[in-house]
Amino acid sequence: MQADATSVIVVGGGTAGWMTAALLAKILGARAHVTLVESEAIGIVGVGEATIPPICAVNAMLGIDEGAFLRATGATIKLGIRFDGWGRPSDSYDHSFGGAGRDLPFCGFHHFCTRAAMEGLPANYWDHDFNALCIQAGRFAPDAETAPNPVWPLPHAYHFDAGLYGHFLRGIAEGLGVRRIEGRVVDISRAPETGDVTALHLEDGRSLEGALFIDCSGSRGLLIEQFLQTGYEDWSHWLPCDRALAVPSAREAVSPLYTRATARAAGWQWRIPLQHRNGNGLVYSSAYIDDDAAADTLMAGLTTAAQDAPRLLRFRTGRARRQWHHNVVAIGLSSGFLEPLESTSIYLIQSAIVRLLHLFPHDGRPDPQRAEYNRQSAIEYERIRDFVILHYHAQHRPEPFWTERRAAALPDRLDEKIALFASTGTIVQDPFDIFTEASWVKVLLGQGITPAAYHPLAGGFSRDALARQFEQMAMVKRQGVARLPLHDAWLSATMARTAA
Ligand SMILES: Cc1cc2nc3c(=O)[nH]c(=O)nc-3n(C[C@H](O)[C@H](O)[C@H](O)COP(=O)(O)OP(=O)(O)OC[C@H]3O[C@@H](n4cnc5c(N)ncnc54)[C@H](O)[C@@H]3O)c2cc1C
């Protein structure tokens, strides 16, 4: 095949590969010829099943109908993550999507909760959180369906079957003209003057020439690490979990609207409800528990009957030192790994594609684009890393794994943020941080950090006025929840509507 200025070769057909191919083909249209090469013999990791709300933007960009998507991927709606046993073994809180109560300019709603608690008023932040109330009631409908009187914004994401999702994206990408090649990449050629990759060589002797190569080959990092040896920044001293066991089990009788993350003695267990099964897994540190004991923990914690034996996955937390090196961009697991505690991996794929589209190489001038891409990607990864570390740090669990996590040194920026919140309730949202002020508040409060003071603006009401406001706000939200359909009923109706 002849190279031209816009020939893009994607290596890998997991979620990263097909999402990249579909979005590049959709947005760049005739300006790019996208070819995807994948090896069925190698297969995909196939466990990315919980997402966060920006996934809705991917579906919108690709013009995906929600009902068709739910049917094709076995998806359920996700309104947040329930953290069981994190602060202390008996604790439970929801990191639900979206905000709570009503913020004032310069003064977030949580400051009013802090003041109310100090003055002996009932002040549960989550009583004013529409997503959390819908999670508890098991009710959902998107804003558009409650118009013209939407009850409250209800940001949502999905739980879906990763294998089915990849297949679904493949259909869309091929419909947009992406060419798929089955084969195993075994070598590359590079230009002697620039070091850029010029072609990939397949096991069967074929070669693929291109101008830009996207490495979506998964955790092996075939192009970025194995061939270009870009280097890996290891973060396992901050996040020492290095293994996961994954197992499917029977579906829940009623589909929960949340991913469940339950802290265990040497890690944590996830449960992701789909229409046809649960996805389950245990993320753990092999320094604290062996694989057999981890499997026992996982199986004992299932809420429904297992459908298979657990599958072991190994990982190393960190990121590629440069996620764009020469003319190779690493997207997906080849770009780094952060454990799925906050369901951020698929979001990182989406964000990398959007960044690449913004900074798409101009003919002959890729250097400034590449440097900026790498700068932004590094910050984004670090912000998510810090948010995940927060869960391990702010807790009072008794087991050695947890006491050591509590005592471990923190990245400087996280240390500063925790201190700021603990003293005055102040949250600072850094650039490229996907987590909003409300997300930080929920996890900080949920993990047991209570501010010692509130913003002066929260003192501007009488105690009685504050109590009335709280009561009224909670009532309006409770009434709003009652108007929504049950989750399973909404799923069935939406799928039936679009099947008709
Ligand atoms: C335990 C665990 C739980 C997770 N849970 C979540 C979650 O809940 N939410 C979330 O957002 N993310 C989650 N993730 C991450 C998520 O699974 C991945 O981000 C996502 O699936 C993307 O993977 P990928 O496409 O980069 O890699 P893969 O799925 O591994 O795909 C790699 C592709 O590259 C191809 N390939 C490799 N080498 C070659 C070669 N030499 N020649 C040709 N083709 C090749 C393979 O055939 C395959 O098609 C989880 C990950 C793990 C490990």
Side-chain angles (χ1 to χ4, degrees):
M1 186 193 130
Q2 284 300 307
D4 64 38
T6 57
S7 63
V8 180
I9 311 285
V10 178
V11 180
T15 304
W18 283 116
M19 192 184 279
T20 303
L23 283 171
L24 292 188
K26 176 78 181 182
I27 309 286
L28 296 173
R31 290 174 203 86
H33 301 148
V34 183
T35 302
L36 183 145
V37 55
E38 67 172 317
S39 163
E40 265 171 25
I42 295 174
I44 63 166
V45 65
V47 277
E49 301 193 309
T51 58
I52 54 177
I55 190 74
C56 296
V58 173
N59 286 4
M61 273 190 271
L62 292 173
I64 291 171
D65 171 81
E66 190 164 47
F69 165 78
L70 294 169
R71 264 199 319 277
T73 62
T76 64
I77 297 294
K78 171 178 172 181
L79 297 181
I81 305 173
R82 174 156 301 167
F83 287 94
D84 284 335
W86 282 79
R88 295 178 194 280
S90 59
D91 285 358
S92 181
Y93 72 94
D94 289 344
H95 173 197
S96 35
F97 306 134
R102 201 179 303 138
D103 296 335
L104 284 188
F106 310 109
C107 178
F109 174 69
H110 64 282
H111 289 286
F112 294 93
C113 293
T114 306
R115 178 186 158 198
M118 286 177 176
E119 297 184 11
L121 293 170
N124 188 332
Y125 182 83
W126 285 267
D127 286 350
H128 306 275
D129 178 335
F130 197 51
N131 272 50
L133 293 169
C134 286
I135 285 175
Q136 287 160 22
R139 291 182 180 274
F140 171 77
D143 303 350
E145 287 182 22
T146 51
N149 298 309
V151 281
W152 224 271
L154 196 51
H156 72 279
Y158 304 100
H159 304 114
F160 54 60
D161 182 315
L164 297 177
Y165 184 60
H167 193 70
F168 184 70
L169 287 177
R170 174 179 166 182
I172 294 171
E174 288 183 323
L176 290 165
V178 172
R179 190 166 67 111
R180 175 187 180 274
I181 292 179
E182 170 65 33
R184 183 190 285 255
V185 177
V186 290
D187 205 356
I188 60 168
S189 293
R190 298 176 72 176
E193 328 77 61
T194 60
D196 281 0
V197 176
T198 52
L200 306 181
H201 305 295
L202 307 189
E203 201 171 33
D204 61 10
R206 285 177 293 170
S207 292
L208 295 172
E209 294 178 11
L212 182 67
F213 294 83
I214 316 289
D215 185 350
C216 298
S217 65
S219 51
R220 56 182 53 74
L222 184 73
L223 305 185
I224 201 79
E225 191 53 33
Q226 292 185 16
F227 290 136
L228 297 188
Q229 299 186 344
T230 307
Y232 194 77
E233 198 173 308
D234 190 324
W235 289 337
S236 48
H237 53 295
W238 279 313
L239 292 167
C241 287
D242 56 355
R243 290 184 191 191
L245 283 163
V247 70
S249 69
R251 59 155 290 155
E252 297 294 317
V254 175
S255 309
L257 282 157
Y258 59 90
T259 305
R260 197 169 81 175
T262 308
R264 302 283 186 216
W268 60 277
Q269 179 159 353
W270 80 77
R271 185 192 66 184
I272 297 176
L274 307 177
Q275 288 175 44
H276 50 298
R277 63 168 169 81
N278 281 344
N280 307 277
L282 186 83
V283 171
Y284 59 100
S285 166
S286 59
Y288 292 82
I289 187 172
D290 65 36
D291 296 338
D292 289 341
D296 291 344
T297 304
L298 170 64
M299 300 307 254
L302 298 182
T303 51
T304 54
Q307 294 179 327
D308 209 339
R311 178 163 69 104
L312 179 66
L313 299 124
R314 293 184 168 83
F315 52 80
R316 188 159 58 111
T317 298
R319 66 175 187 89
R321 284 195 187 281
R322 274 171 290 185
Q323 293 172 332
W324 181 347
H325 193 35
H326 290 286
N327 58 340
V328 172
V329 183
I331 295 182
L333 295 176
S334 60
S335 72
F337 185 82
L338 285 163
E339 62 189 72
L341 187 59
E342 285 285 351
S343 315
T344 43
S345 280
I346 293 172
Y347 167 74
L348 280 167
I349 295 170
Q350 163 184 359
S351 169
I353 300 166
V354 169
R355 182 169 300 123
L356 177 61
L357 283 163
H358 271 296
L359 297 168
F360 206 74
H362 298 203
D363 235 5
R365 288 189 300 278
D367 289 358
Q369 313 292 92
R370 195 162 47 207
E372 180 58 20
Y373 182 96
N374 284 329
R375 188 185 77 80
Q376 292 183 13
S377 310
I379 300 173
E380 183 172 59
Y381 252 81
E382 285 168 14
R383 294 289 74 84
I384 296 175
R385 175 201 69 194
D386 288 2
F387 196 66
V388 173
I389 296 172
L390 168 62
H391 299 67
Y392 283 102
H393 170 76
Q395 41 79 23
H396 301 278
R397 290 191 62 99
E399 300 93 340
F401 170 82
W402 292 98
T403 54
E404 285 178 32
R405 293 327 319 139
R406 190 155 64 235
L410 295 176
D412 292 344
R413 186 64 187 137
L414 178 60
D415 212 7
E416 288 160 10
K417 281 182 160 176
I418 293 174
L420 203 54
F421 184 79
S423 59
T424 58
T426 305
I427 300 281
V428 180
Q429 207 192 343
D430 290 327
F432 304 108
D433 186 352
I434 176 65
F435 295 107
T436 59
E437 171 165 333
S439 282
W440 279 91
V441 168
K442 287 175 195 183
V443 173
L444 284 158
L445 290 178
Q447 296 283 144
I449 300 182
T450 310
Y454 53 84
H455 193 284
L457 286 171
F461 294 84
S462 70
R463 184 178 184 275
D464 285 352
L466 188 64
R468 270 198 310 278
Q469 277 281 330
F470 267 59
E471 212 172 289
Q472 204 182 351
M473 261 189 308
M475 189 184 66
V476 170
K477 293 209 166 168
R478 278 198 306 273
Q479 286 170 347
V481 174
R483 286 171 47 198
L484 299 179
L486 290 169
H487 177 205
D488 284 311
W490 180 85
L491 284 174
S492 305
T494 304
M495 290 190 290
R497 195 164 54 238
T498 49

